[in-house]
Amino acid sequence: TTTIPAPASADHLPTTNAATVLTGIFAKKKKEQLQKYTVAEIERLYFFGRDLGMGNFATVRQCKHKKTGKVCAAKIIDKSLCSSKRDMIGTELAILKKVRHRYVVGMDEVFDTSGHLLLILDYVSGGE
C-alpha cells in the first residue's frame, strides 16, 4: 500500500477554532450569538417544499426565496439531537462561510431558532 506523507509543516494552514462558531447557538457567550428568528419570520422569506434527505440530526428540504425566486436547500438541524456534535457543526459552518467555489455547495444564510439551526444552501439537482 502507498501512504501519503504528512506535510513538513502545517504552519501555512489557517486555523479556526470551530467550537467558537457555535458558542452563541448553544448559549455559551451572548456576544457571539446568532440573531434569533421565529419560524414565522423565516417563512416570510422562504417557501418550503419537499424533503430532499434526512440524517441523524438534520433534514434537508427544498425551499425558494420569496423575493428572488432562487431555489435552495434548507438543512434543518435539530439542536436537541446534536449538542454533542457542536464541534462538527461548527467546522461545517466555518468552512461554508469561507468557501466560495463553483464546484462546492455554498451557504447563503444561517437562521437560529429556539430549537433548530437552518442553513440555506445552494440547491443541487440530480440526487446525492
Side-chain angles (χ1 to χ4, degrees), residues 13-21 87 90-95 98:
L13 298 175
T15 57
T16 301
N17 184 351
T20 60
V21 174
D87 287 343
T91 300
E92 180 178 1
L93 283 177
I95 291 169
K98 290 181 179 182

Side-chain angles (χ1 to χ4, degrees), residues 21 27 44 79 83 94-95 122:
V21 174
R44 280 196 285 273
K79 292 193 287 188
S83 61
I95 291 169
D122 293 337

Side-chain angles (χ1 to χ4, degrees), residues 68-104:
T68 67
K70 181 180 179 183
V71 176
C72 302
K75 184 174 185 177
I76 305 165
I77 301 169
D78 186 333
K79 292 193 287 188
S80 68
L81 298 177
C82 67
S83 61
S84 65
K85 307 275 189 213
R86 184 170 60 172
D87 287 343
M88 184 176 73
I89 296 168
T91 300
E92 180 178 1
L93 283 177
I95 291 169
L96 288 171
K97 284 181 181 182
K98 290 181 179 182
V99 175
R100 286 286 174 201
H101 191 277
R102 66 182 184 180
Y103 296 123
V104 177

Side-chain angles (χ1 to χ4, degrees), residues 43-88:
E43 287 178 340
R44 280 196 285 273
L45 299 171
Y46 289 91
F47 291 110
F48 287 87
R50 65 185 176 93
D51 285 354
L52 299 173
M54 294 183 73
N56 290 328
F57 55 87
T59 300
V60 180
R61 294 181 66 188
Q62 189 174 28
C63 63
K64 184 176 183 180
H65 193 275
K66 289 183 178 182
K67 283 187 180 178
T68 67
K70 181 180 179 183
V71 176
C72 302
K75 184 174 185 177
I76 305 165
I77 301 169
D78 186 333
K79 292 193 287 188
S80 68
L81 298 177
C82 67
S83 61
S84 65
K85 307 275 189 213
R86 184 170 60 172
D87 287 343
M88 184 176 73

